[in-house]
Amino acid sequence: MDLSRVFFTGNSTMNLERMPNEEKLSLCRRYYLGGFAFLPFLWLVNVLWFFKEAFLKPAYTEQPQIKSYIKKSALGLILWVAVLTTWITIFQHFRARWGEVGDYLSFTIPLGTA
Amino acid sequence: MCVSSAAGVCSSSVEQKIYVELNETVPCVRLLNATHQIGCQSSMSGDTGVLHVLETQSDLDWILSSGPHPPYMVIMETAFFNRSVMMRMKNSSRVSGVAVIVSKTGLAQNFSPHTTCPNQNTGVYGSELANCNVTVWNPLGNGLSYEDFSFPVFALKDENQTQVIRKCYEDHNQRVNGSAPHYPLCAMQLFSHMHAVTDTVTCMRRTDLQNRFSINPEVLCDPLSDFNVWTSTRPLNSSAKGHAANESVVIAAARLDGRSFFWEQAPAAEGTVSGIITLLAAIQALYPVTQEAPPPRNIFFTFFQGEAFDYIGSSKMVYDMEKNDFVIDLKNVHSILEIGQVGLHSGRSLWMHSDPVSRKNDSVNEAVSEMMNRMESAAAGLSVSVGHPSFSQPLPPSSLQRFLRAGPIPGLVLADHQKSFSNRYYESMYDDAENLNVTYPPGLTPDEQLVYETDAAKSLAEVATLVARSLYLQAGGENNSLSNITADPKTVAQLLYGFLVQKNNSWFRSLLLSAGPGPPQFYIGLGPRIHGPVHSVTRFVQYILANLTGTVTNLTESQCQNPSELSTENKDLFSYFWVSGPASVNSTGEPFCVRASVRLSEAVSPAFELLEYGSRNYSTWTESRWKSIRARIFLVASRELEVMQTKTQQNC
């Protein structure tokens, strides 16, 4: 796989203008599939990056597929945000009360407060 | 702006113009046990508040409800440091810290921050006799030391520094004609952030997790520990652990420690020092006679450290005896005499407390009655008299209770109180020389004060004579040798001076290296794990015992450190001390080697050896760690600048 297509390094640009449509679709698909490896940020990047392409540009052949990828990425992203927010809220609120379990789940434990 | 000077001390000229650092302050720190935390805590970046001096009731209302610049940092006069005021402060959100002025002016008639029923959960009594159902031992206790405060509480002991603070308050913060003062106001910031929280179990668990998984492990708390000191009239082989053959031992015990509300402050005059001095003087009186006319039984003298915190030292010794890890075991013990608080009897009688539960057994009852009779006959020729309180009264808080937990042993606790303590300042900062009536006439030099025999010295010497004679009789000695056993009032006077007034005196200096000024403090501390060598009080008692009971040898310094190479010396039976020798005007002393059968034994709660941090049977007290404890005052020009000024740290 040509990494310069997935990770833009050096002189490559993030400018989708000059990219042919098949490449745009394949990039979008790669990011969509990559997000399933517990990488919701890939979905976030996918949504932000291809939003204009999918919904604001005039239609072209690959656009419906890109649209569907963006919608599914957005769905996955919202799901992840909901789960993480819920877990973080519960943990911050109840960690002190959980005693031993809370300590084993923590990476750093604050000094001097419960 | 940070300029390092040549000495390596970082000074920031702007900071020095803003802040006045207060150097002579004493904090209150956090202590934890199996279930609770006690003491005080500040925020990580210190607690700040506008100063207000609490002198009258209207000041209290100003602080708690009407003052316009909360939160306040309260400068509390001595008279207001009591439970009701501190509880109101605790429940108020307008108080960010308290600095207590420690002085004798305005001191109440009694002040004891300890609980009313000390060590009630780790004694020998179950529910019927524990919890002070029969006698409340410390009725004047307000329990402040065992409360948990979420703001820092400091003690201001230095009069000059208190004056500086008062001046700042009077210049800027004082109310004029009842109206509120205007900015700029004088403010104080106290730093005493404690790392440990909740209880010992949590703190030890987090320390373990840190040690196992963290790159930069932080220890959060340390168990209170130190050493017990013991000696015996006939030397015991310290390498032979477990039951000692043909040894029947009478134990004479006293406690070595005390505490107060603040960290490392514990003058403990009546609570602890009276017992230590009595036992030391009794040992000195007994020693020559026990070498000339040895009684059938051995007499084992021991000083227990950490008794204020659920009997750390005595529980450890009993635990070692049960595990056969000590030079004697419980079957060797014939009886126990403990010296409790004996300093305030002043012409009245002393009391022999005994345990009613074990006395239900006939043989124990008979042994205890015999012990009381021997004590009464020993008191016959002296000016002290002894009596016994009512049969159904349980033992006061004492190390004897831990021995009784292991089995019925006949024992007595000698004390100057029949029911409740006579000590009105039990375990507080005010239990000092004045509480024992140890005062010296003006105009004496320190060396003259060292040997001046106060009335307290003479009275304690009488008690020591009584104890020594009773022990001799209890060990099976003959009646006719009794008159040779007399405690020396001069030794008692020197001990009183050294333990209550000034530890940097010529006698202590001749025994070991010099110590700081002022009286020694008897708080147990964290012992050799943290503070390096043994706690100073333990060291003093050890060397004084060696001085009083040891023999001078002519070993050289290197031989003194390693006596096992010499065939005449026995490292198993004796310890060897290299002492400085008495200094005179012309020269420092010539050091020499002293051989004595004085030893130290570890005083760490068995809960920490067994790793049962939530133990109900043993002491689980730990002291939290902290990074920095300091205090400073400064002027704030407005509320916004106050926030900025409190965040300024020394970035060096």
Side-chain angles (χ1 to χ4, degrees), chain B residues 9 13 21 44 166 239 268 284 299 306 377 385 397 417 534:
Chain B
V9 172
S13 52
E21 293 282 341
M44 198 176 280
R166 269 193 213 274
S239 56
Q284 185 197 31
I299 310 179
S377 73
S385 60
H417 53 89
V534 169

PDB file of all heavy atoms in Angstrom, chain B residues 9 13 21 44 166 239 268 284 299 306 377 385 397 417 534:
ATOM      1  N   VAL B   9      21.345  29.070  47.103  1.00  0.00           N
ATOM      2  CA  VAL B   9      19.978  29.322  47.555  1.00  0.00           C
ATOM      3  C   VAL B   9      19.320  30.245  46.545  1.00  0.00           C
ATOM      4  O   VAL B   9      19.876  31.263  46.155  1.00  0.00           O
ATOM      5  CB  VAL B   9      19.986  30.017  48.933  1.00  0.00           C
ATOM      6  CG1 VAL B   9      18.593  30.447  49.322  1.00  0.00           C
ATOM      7  CG2 VAL B   9      20.560  29.067  49.962  1.00  0.00           C
ATOM      8  N   SER B  13      14.017  38.466  44.184  1.00  0.00           N
ATOM      9  CA  SER B  13      13.913  39.713  44.925  1.00  0.00           C
ATOM     10  C   SER B  13      12.482  40.230  44.948  1.00  0.00           C
ATOM     11  O   SER B  13      12.048  40.812  45.920  1.00  0.00           O
ATOM     12  CB  SER B  13      14.849  40.758  44.331  1.00  0.00           C
ATOM     13  OG  SER B  13      14.595  40.839  42.948  1.00  0.00           O
ATOM     14  N   GLU B  21       7.958  34.779  54.779  1.00  0.00           N
ATOM     15  CA  GLU B  21       7.875  33.352  55.117  1.00  0.00           C
ATOM     16  C   GLU B  21       7.869  33.195  56.627  1.00  0.00           C
ATOM     17  O   GLU B  21       8.644  33.838  57.327  1.00  0.00           O
ATOM     18  CB  GLU B  21       9.081  32.591  54.552  1.00  0.00           C
ATOM     19  CG  GLU B  21       9.147  32.509  53.049  1.00  0.00           C
ATOM     20  CD  GLU B  21       8.191  31.465  52.471  1.00  0.00           C
ATOM     21  OE1 GLU B  21       7.749  30.566  53.225  1.00  0.00           O
ATOM     22  OE2 GLU B  21       7.881  31.572  51.291  1.00  0.00           O
ATOM     23  N   MET B  44      -3.630  21.326  47.361  1.00  0.00           N
ATOM     24  CA  MET B  44      -2.274  21.065  46.873  1.00  0.00           C
ATOM     25  C   MET B  44      -1.464  22.341  46.728  1.00  0.00           C
ATOM     26  O   MET B  44      -0.247  22.345  46.925  1.00  0.00           O
ATOM     27  CB  MET B  44      -2.356  20.349  45.526  1.00  0.00           C
ATOM     28  CG  MET B  44      -1.063  19.666  45.179  1.00  0.00           C
ATOM     29  SD  MET B  44      -1.145  18.739  43.686  1.00  0.00           S
ATOM     30  CE  MET B  44      -1.928  17.266  44.227  1.00  0.00           C
ATOM     31  N   ARG B 166       0.464  39.684  64.039  1.00  0.00           N
ATOM     32  CA  ARG B 166      -0.487  40.602  64.672  1.00  0.00           C
ATOM     33  C   ARG B 166      -0.342  42.008  64.122  1.00  0.00           C
ATOM     34  O   ARG B 166      -1.329  42.715  63.900  1.00  0.00           O
ATOM     35  CB  ARG B 166      -0.228  40.648  66.171  1.00  0.00           C
ATOM     36  CG  ARG B 166      -0.988  39.677  66.984  1.00  0.00           C
ATOM     37  CD  ARG B 166      -0.851  40.095  68.440  1.00  0.00           C
ATOM     38  NE  ARG B 166      -0.837  38.957  69.317  1.00  0.00           N
ATOM     39  CZ  ARG B 166      -1.943  38.386  69.794  1.00  0.00           C
ATOM     40  NH1 ARG B 166      -3.123  38.842  69.461  1.00  0.00           N
ATOM     41  NH2 ARG B 166      -1.851  37.344  70.596  1.00  0.00           N
ATOM     42  N   SER B 239      20.756 -14.151  71.492  1.00  0.00           N
ATOM     43  CA  SER B 239      20.672 -14.990  70.302  1.00  0.00           C
ATOM     44  C   SER B 239      19.822 -16.220  70.556  1.00  0.00           C
ATOM     45  O   SER B 239      19.493 -16.949  69.624  1.00  0.00           O
ATOM     46  CB  SER B 239      22.073 -15.411  69.858  1.00  0.00           C
ATOM     47  OG  SER B 239      22.709 -16.055  70.923  1.00  0.00           O
ATOM     48  N   ALA B 268       4.522  15.676  77.042  1.00  0.00           N
ATOM     49  CA  ALA B 268       4.116  14.457  77.759  1.00  0.00           C
ATOM     50  C   ALA B 268       4.701  14.344  79.154  1.00  0.00           C
ATOM     51  O   ALA B 268       5.148  13.272  79.545  1.00  0.00           O
ATOM     52  CB  ALA B 268       4.473  13.220  76.937  1.00  0.00           C
ATOM     53  N   GLN B 284      18.309   2.308  88.645  1.00  0.00           N
ATOM     54  CA  GLN B 284      19.598   2.704  89.222  1.00  0.00           C
ATOM     55  C   GLN B 284      19.681   2.280  90.683  1.00  0.00           C
ATOM     56  O   GLN B 284      20.736   1.854  91.156  1.00  0.00           O
ATOM     57  CB  GLN B 284      19.769   4.224  89.116  1.00  0.00           C
ATOM     58  CG  GLN B 284      21.136   4.652  89.585  1.00  0.00           C
ATOM     59  CD  GLN B 284      21.206   6.129  89.876  1.00  0.00           C
ATOM     60  OE1 GLN B 284      20.220   6.740  90.275  1.00  0.00           O
ATOM     61  NE2 GLN B 284      22.361   6.713  89.701  1.00  0.00           N
ATOM     62  N   ILE B 299      14.725  -9.662  86.892  1.00  0.00           N
ATOM     63  CA  ILE B 299      13.806  -8.534  86.707  1.00  0.00           C
ATOM     64  C   ILE B 299      14.079  -7.946  85.325  1.00  0.00           C
ATOM     65  O   ILE B 299      15.214  -7.618  84.989  1.00  0.00           O
ATOM     66  CB  ILE B 299      14.001  -7.443  87.777  1.00  0.00           C
ATOM     67  CG1 ILE B 299      13.996  -8.057  89.167  1.00  0.00           C
ATOM     68  CG2 ILE B 299      12.885  -6.412  87.665  1.00  0.00           C
ATOM     69  CD1 ILE B 299      14.204  -7.043  90.267  1.00  0.00           C
ATOM     70  N   GLY B 306       5.242   3.921  71.409  1.00  0.00           N
ATOM     71  CA  GLY B 306       4.047   3.864  70.568  1.00  0.00           C
ATOM     72  C   GLY B 306       2.783   3.453  71.283  1.00  0.00           C
ATOM     73  O   GLY B 306       1.812   3.084  70.649  1.00  0.00           O
ATOM     74  N   SER B 377       4.081  -3.383 101.932  1.00  0.00           N
ATOM     75  CA  SER B 377       5.150  -3.483 102.918  1.00  0.00           C
ATOM     76  C   SER B 377       6.378  -2.702 102.466  1.00  0.00           C
ATOM     77  O   SER B 377       7.115  -2.157 103.291  1.00  0.00           O
ATOM     78  CB  SER B 377       5.509  -4.947 103.176  1.00  0.00           C
ATOM     79  OG  SER B 377       6.201  -5.484 102.100  1.00  0.00           O
ATOM     80  N   SER B 385       2.101   6.422 100.307  1.00  0.00           N
ATOM     81  CA  SER B 385       1.302   5.277 100.703  1.00  0.00           C
ATOM     82  C   SER B 385       0.618   4.739  99.457  1.00  0.00           C
ATOM     83  O   SER B 385       0.465   5.444  98.466  1.00  0.00           O
ATOM     84  CB  SER B 385       0.262   5.692 101.740  1.00  0.00           C
ATOM     85  OG  SER B 385      -0.570   6.681 101.181  1.00  0.00           O
ATOM     86  N   PRO B 397      -5.967   2.458  80.643  1.00  0.00           N
ATOM     87  CA  PRO B 397      -5.238   2.120  79.429  1.00  0.00           C
ATOM     88  C   PRO B 397      -3.764   1.903  79.762  1.00  0.00           C
ATOM     89  O   PRO B 397      -3.101   2.798  80.263  1.00  0.00           O
ATOM     90  CB  PRO B 397      -5.414   3.348  78.541  1.00  0.00           C
ATOM     91  CG  PRO B 397      -6.500   4.132  79.128  1.00  0.00           C
ATOM     92  CD  PRO B 397      -6.676   3.732  80.541  1.00  0.00           C
ATOM     93  N   HIS B 417      -3.811   8.216  90.166  1.00  0.00           N
ATOM     94  CA  HIS B 417      -5.239   8.518  90.115  1.00  0.00           C
ATOM     95  C   HIS B 417      -6.008   7.279  90.535  1.00  0.00           C
ATOM     96  O   HIS B 417      -5.671   6.153  90.180  1.00  0.00           O
ATOM     97  CB  HIS B 417      -5.652   8.950  88.707  1.00  0.00           C
ATOM     98  CG  HIS B 417      -5.256   7.979  87.628  1.00  0.00           C
ATOM     99  ND1 HIS B 417      -6.056   6.931  87.222  1.00  0.00           N
ATOM    100  CD2 HIS B 417      -4.141   7.891  86.871  1.00  0.00           C
ATOM    101  CE1 HIS B 417      -5.456   6.256  86.260  1.00  0.00           C
ATOM    102  NE2 HIS B 417      -4.293   6.813  86.032  1.00  0.00           N
ATOM    103  N   VAL B 534      17.883   5.962  65.255  1.00  0.00           N
ATOM    104  CA  VAL B 534      16.794   5.801  66.204  1.00  0.00           C
ATOM    105  C   VAL B 534      16.310   7.166  66.690  1.00  0.00           C
ATOM    106  O   VAL B 534      17.075   8.099  66.801  1.00  0.00           O
ATOM    107  CB  VAL B 534      17.310   4.929  67.364  1.00  0.00           C
ATOM    108  CG1 VAL B 534      16.372   4.903  68.511  1.00  0.00           C
ATOM    109  CG2 VAL B 534      17.587   3.547  66.865  1.00  0.00           C
TER     110      VAL B 534
END
